[in-house]
Amino acid sequence: MKSTAKSIAQRCGSFGLQGSGGVPMLPDEPLWRRVPSRDAEGRCLADFRMIIPGLRDKSGSQQRNTLRIVNAVLQHYGAWVVFADFNFRTNLLWVSIRPRPGLTLEIPAAIKTLVPEALLLAAYWRR
């Protein structure tokens, strides 16, 4: 895992979190309307949520750096990540992925390696 995290950290560029298919996300729309529950073929997606305590209280450059790192991890797993949203008010990262055994722990572990304060809140399969 550390080698994956290291390679991601080396490639960190300036990225922004995006919705699936590059569709712009509307921040005022409720999250339950934006989070996909199924992929284009109708298969259920898996979700995990992480909290990054205190991120909203950090400087803008620290926030951007943390989100750049998180986004680099998500882009590394781009074939699996369908949706990502970070809520600054609650410091909550929500990620929906195509199901693959162990991936709801692998991606958060990569994020935690690079952002040690990040905490996994929940990983579950949707029905």
Side-chain angles (χ1 to χ4, degrees), residues 10-62:
Q10 290 170 346
R11 292 181 312 183
C12 278
S14 179
F15 303 112
L17 297 177
Q18 300 175 8
S20 61
V23 176
M25 296 190 305
L26 303 173
D28 294 335
E29 192 174 5
L31 190 57
W32 63 268
R33 286 189 180 170
R34 292 185 286 142
V35 176
S37 60
R38 297 186 177 272
D39 66 12
E41 289 80 38
R43 292 182 293 241
C44 289
L45 298 173
D47 297 318
F48 68 85
R49 293 167 292 177
M50 296 185 81
I51 189 167
I52 305 177
L55 184 60
R56 72 173 170 229
D57 300 326
K58 293 186 178 183
S59 71
S61 63
Q62 289 174 314

Side-chain angles (χ1 to χ4, degrees), residues 63-105:
Q63 290 174 351
R64 284 188 298 278
N65 186 52
T66 300
L67 291 181
R68 183 176 47 84
I69 291 167
V70 168
N71 197 49
V73 172
L74 297 178
Q75 286 196 359
H76 178 77
Y77 291 95
W80 299 97
V81 174
V82 176
F83 174 86
D85 180 81
F86 189 84
N87 183 321
F88 274 99
R89 193 180 77 232
T90 60
N91 293 320
L92 180 72
L93 171 68
W94 186 311
V95 180
S96 294
I97 60 171
R98 289 179 180 81
R100 188 188 94 191
L103 200 57
T104 55
L105 297 177

